[in-house]
């Protein structure tokens, strides 16, 4: 494991004019030395300078799903057809964002699994107050990753029809024209 290149295996790694070792850490600090030679003088720096920035990117979305149920007296969540969960990679109990295209409401909850092939999109508990059956919604999940991971990452985009059946998938959103 590494923290922005700081190795956990005890081997020194060169970064420009310095060498860094992940095994020589004290609390939230890391040891750095100017040479790889044994016995070279160590300097201790805060780990805040070693931790990479994390970006929050769209991991996946279900585009324009139709709300089939709205159950106020059920424990809060959104039940999603298992086929859609599998196609998007959304895990049960994962936080999801709901954007109601019909009324403009935006909120978050967690995903629950509904029967595969049922087409169910059911908003439950307090979330049921934000939608009505027949509303068109977008269900999105996000993931945190480093800038390097973000450069290689592609989201899973799932498009559905009015019965919440998958029509097609994609890994990118077309560029918006003026």
């Amino acid at each position: 494991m590494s923290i922005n290149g700081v190795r956990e295996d005890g081997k020194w790694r060169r970064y420009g004019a310095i060498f860094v070792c992940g095994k020589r850490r004290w609390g939230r600090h890391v040891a750095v030395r100017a040479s790889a030679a044994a016995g070279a003088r160590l300097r201790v720096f805060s780990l805040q300078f070693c931790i990479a920035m994390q970006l929050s990117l769209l991991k996946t979305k279900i585009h324009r799903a139709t709300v089939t149920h709205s159950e106020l007296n059920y424990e809060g969540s959104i039940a999603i057809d298992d086929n859609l969960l599998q196609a998007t990679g959304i895990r049960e109990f994962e936080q999801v964002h709901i954007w109601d295209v019909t009324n403009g409401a935006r909120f978050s909850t967690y995903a629950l699994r509904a029967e595969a092939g049922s087409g169910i999109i059911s908003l439950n508990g307090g979330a049921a107050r934000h939608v009505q059956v027949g509303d068109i919604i977008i269900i999105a999940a996000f993931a945190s990753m480093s800038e390097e991971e973000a450069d290689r990452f592609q989201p899973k985009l799932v498009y559905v029809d009015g019965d919440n059946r998958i029509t097609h998938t994609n890994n990118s959103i077309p560029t918006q024209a003026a």
Side-chain angles (χ1 to χ4, degrees):
M1 179 178 162
S2 69
I3 300 175
N4 195 22
V6 178
R7 295 172 62 118
E8 293 290 336
D9 60 7
K11 295 181 181 169
W12 291 90
R13 177 177 263 177
R14 184 182 181 99
Y15 288 92
I18 64 169
F19 293 81
V20 180
C21 178
K23 278 231 173 164
R24 301 229 185 223
R25 286 192 291 153
W26 297 273
R28 298 214 27 95
H29 294 79
V30 65
V32 177
R33 64 184 179 184
S35 124
R41 184 172 168 203
L42 293 177
R43 293 189 181 218
V44 178
F45 293 92
S46 172
L47 270 178
Q48 69 184 5
F49 299 109
C50 297
I51 298 175
M53 176 175 60
Q54 294 289 299
L55 303 173
S56 181
L57 271 65
L58 177 67
K59 171 187 156 189
T60 188
K61 78 172 181 174
I62 302 170
H63 193 73
R64 298 184 65 84
T66 303
V67 175
T68 60
H69 298 79
S70 180
E71 304 289 341
L72 182 62
N73 294 312
Y74 184 82
E75 191 173 331
S77 61
I78 180 171
I80 303 170
D81 181 321
D82 188 42
N83 291 345
L84 296 174
L85 291 180
Q86 289 184 24
T88 58
I90 294 174
R91 300 171 64 99
E92 195 165 18
F93 307 113
E94 181 174 356
Q95 182 182 28
V96 292
H97 297 264
I98 311 299
W99 305 319
D100 192 321
V101 175
T102 307
N103 70 23
R106 297 170 75 93
F107 56 95
S108 61
T109 187
Y110 61 93
L112 288 179
R113 187 172 315 281
E115 183 181 343
S118 65
I120 288 176
I121 300 290
S122 178
L123 277 298
N124 305 314
R129 294 223 182 257
H130 297 285
V131 300
Q132 293 183 20
V133 172
D135 281 2
I136 302 299
I137 63 172
I138 297 169
I139 304 165
F142 291 82
S144 293
M145 60 192 75
S146 70
E147 288 180 297
E148 294 80 23
E149 291 170 316
D151 289 341
R152 297 182 305 274
F153 181 76
Q154 292 187 324
K156 292 181 184 176
L157 311 174
V158 175
Y159 298 84
V160 297
D161 63 17
D163 294 321
N164 297 324
R165 308 279 186 247
I166 297 171
T167 59
H168 65 285
T169 62
N170 208 339
N171 293 106
S172 65
I173 298 171
T175 302
Q176 185 171 339

